[in-house]
Amino acid sequence: MTTEGLSIPGMSVGRPRADTTGHIRDGSIADWFRKRAVRALSIDVLAIALAVLDVWLVFPEEAMTYSIWLSALSCVALVARRWLPFGVVLATFPGYLAGWAQLAAMIALGMLATRRGLNWQTMAGFGMVWASRFILWPLDEFAALSWQEHVLDGIYGVVVAGMPVALGLLIRARSELSDKLAELAASRDREQQLHAQAVRAQERARLAREMHDVVSHDITLIAMQANVLSISAPGTEAHQAAENIRQLSKRTLEELRTLVGVLRSGVDEDGPQPGIDELHQLIRTSDVPVQLTVERIPETVPRQVSAAAYRTVQECLTNVHKHAPGAKATVCVRGEEDALGVEVLNEQPCEPARGLPSGGHGLTGLAERARLLGGTFETAPTDDGGFRVRAVYPLPG
């Protein structure tokens, strides 16, 4: 047997289903509150209507006027049972004792048990409803009853007063259980997230060690060999090429140390990263003839956006050097409305491709970086045989 969806006038057992984080799945929070308010209003109207009908169908034509007024007051008092549950029980007690508002008193007692639990107010309300069912009004008629009738009235009083208390406590227990289950599910999700973060941190640390031990060692050897070549052939083209290799190796080592630090910390924003201000240095050291245009750059550009723009230009120039040797490139970095646009356009290659090694993931990584920042990334060949890359990164307003 389940209590899901069980309801009595003025009290509902069913609750909206929640996901593992404790949030309502169906609709937004505002929609959920609106539906809950409409449901509560409907239950209030139904409870009052049933209480009025319970009084209207049973009171005799020769009823005392005060009994009618007390019964009517009990029905009207149900409007406030959600906010003043014990006060409403007190208000329905005379209407049940000297009138016919039995259902109104039971509804009020059930709401009291739901809101307050098994405390002294609930016990006092139980006693009042039981006394209203046990005592017959007027008192002279009650005194004329036999002891067997008193015993039966006492038993029926326990049933009449105990049923709303039991249902109210059941509703309260189910509500608390649902809240505990939602908290447990949210706690389990947080634990899973912490475990996943720990696993990622271990993997990052392993990658950082491998990058430092393998890549850093090889780049250092390249720089050392380039330095030897530069010393052995001064004043020649080989000397200039070796010097360029040494400078590139030095810069690569610096960026590698930054990436290793990011991997060890697990935070992408940690560590210095090149930005828009270093584009001129990047273009001077590249082996591609480049025309750079920087326009309308805001005074403050987020570090992530500035680094993304730099990496976009860097990767595009590397691709031009690999796949379109001899081609000229045009780089345009322009501040747009609430965004920063980066466009790299290269002409048709003048020489065959050199077959340099390529990981094949450069443009994919740029697209992922743009997506993470909430921007866009587009690539397309041009009509004259070149290639165009455009990225747009949003800026805070």
Side-chain angles (χ1 to χ4, degrees):
M1 179 178 179
T2 177
T3 59
E4 181 69 32
L6 176 64
S7 64
I8 62 175
M11 296 175 288
S12 174
V13 177
R15 285 175 62 94
R17 291 302 186 101
D19 58 18
T20 56
T21 62
H23 296 110
I24 304 303
R25 287 200 304 248
D26 298 330
S28 64
I29 298 297
D31 292 337
W32 178 73
F33 276 111
R34 184 165 53 251
K35 292 177 181 178
R36 187 174 183 181
V38 171
R39 185 182 64 179
L41 180 61
S42 302
I43 293 176
D44 290 344
V45 172
L46 178 61
I48 296 174
L50 290 177
V52 171
L53 189 63
D54 177 60
V55 173
W56 180 64
L57 291 177
V58 299
F59 76 88
E61 296 180 358
E62 65 276 9
M64 301 297 292
T65 303
Y66 70 86
S67 298
I68 297 176
W69 281 106
L70 289 175
S71 299
L73 177 63
S74 299
C75 297
V76 175
L78 291 178
V79 176
R81 75 192 188 283
R82 296 182 183 272
W83 302 278
L84 300 171
F86 186 64
V88 173
V89 172
L90 293 176
T92 57
F93 171 64
Y96 187 16
L97 179 64
W100 302 272
Q102 174 179 336
L103 187 57
M106 294 177 65
I107 293 174
L109 180 58
M111 179 57 69
L112 176 62
T114 303
R115 292 300 177 90
R116 299 290 186 263
L118 194 61
N119 65 354
W120 70 269
Q121 293 182 350
T122 304
M123 299 304 297
F126 174 87
M128 285 185 286
V129 174
W130 177 87
S132 299
R133 177 62 181 83
F134 176 72
I135 299 174
L136 179 63
W137 191 268
L139 295 178
D140 55 348
E141 296 182 5
F142 172 71
L145 296 177
S146 64
W147 70 269
Q148 294 93 340
E149 291 174 318
H150 283 306
V151 172
L152 288 176
D153 288 340
I155 295 174
Y156 291 142
V158 172
V159 174
V160 170
M163 182 177 65
V165 171
L167 288 176
L169 294 177
L170 176 63
I171 294 170
R172 181 180 179 86
R174 186 188 182 280
S175 176
E176 293 176 350
L177 179 61
S178 298
D179 293 340
K180 293 297 183 182
L181 289 176
E183 293 178 3
L184 180 61
S187 177
R188 184 176 63 249
D189 287 345
R190 288 193 296 268
E191 183 180 354
Q192 292 176 352
Q193 292 175 2
L194 291 175
H195 176 70
Q197 291 175 2
V199 172
R200 287 196 297 268
Q202 294 177 357
E203 184 64 18
R204 283 180 174 135
R206 185 185 65 82
L207 291 174
R209 289 193 299 270
E210 292 183 1
M211 290 178 62
H212 183 272
D213 294 342
V214 179
V215 182
S216 177
H217 176 71
D218 291 344
I219 294 177
T220 302
L221 291 178
I222 293 174
M224 294 174 60
Q225 295 294 332
N227 189 43
V228 172
L229 178 61
S230 175
I231 295 175
S232 62
T236 63
E237 293 183 359
H239 170 80
Q240 184 62 35
E243 187 65 22
N244 291 337
I245 293 174
R246 190 177 68 83
Q247 292 294 334
L248 288 174
S249 300
K250 179 181 178 182
R251 190 175 64 190
T252 302
L253 277 175
E254 292 175 354
E255 294 192 3
L256 180 62
R257 293 191 185 98
T258 300
L259 292 177
V260 169
V262 170
L263 285 175
R264 290 188 181 278
S265 65
V267 181
D268 295 340
E269 291 79 10
D270 287 353
Q273 296 188 30
I276 298 175
D277 297 337
E278 302 180 32
L279 285 178
H280 294 279
Q281 177 65 24
L282 172 65
I283 290 174
R284 280 197 300 267
T285 57
S286 67
D287 294 333
V288 179
V290 180
Q291 178 182 352
L292 175 64
T293 303
V294 180
E295 298 178 348
R296 300 194 301 271
I297 303 299
E299 295 182 0
T300 58
V301 178
R303 184 166 52 182
Q304 300 93 328
V305 174
S306 182
Y310 180 91
R311 295 302 183 190
T312 301
V313 176
Q314 183 184 45
E315 179 64 26
C316 291
L317 294 182
T318 300
N319 288 340
V320 172
H321 179 67
K322 291 179 181 179
H323 308 297
K328 295 181 180 179
T330 302
V331 177
C332 181
V333 181
R334 180 181 291 110
E336 303 174 357
E337 184 178 359
D338 298 331
L340 181 69
V342 180
E343 183 177 78
V344 181
L345 178 67
N346 66 272
E347 300 175 352
Q348 184 178 8
C350 302
E351 306 173 9
R354 299 170 181 173
L356 296 176
S358 175
H361 302 289
L363 296 180
T364 301
L366 294 179
E368 292 177 352
R369 184 190 292 265
R371 177 178 56 82
L372 291 175
L373 293 176
T376 60
F377 186 83
E378 301 174 356
T379 60
T382 60
D383 296 336
D384 59 357
F387 200 78
R388 174 179 174 271
V389 175
R390 174 172 172 77
V392 178
Y393 304 101
L395 297 175

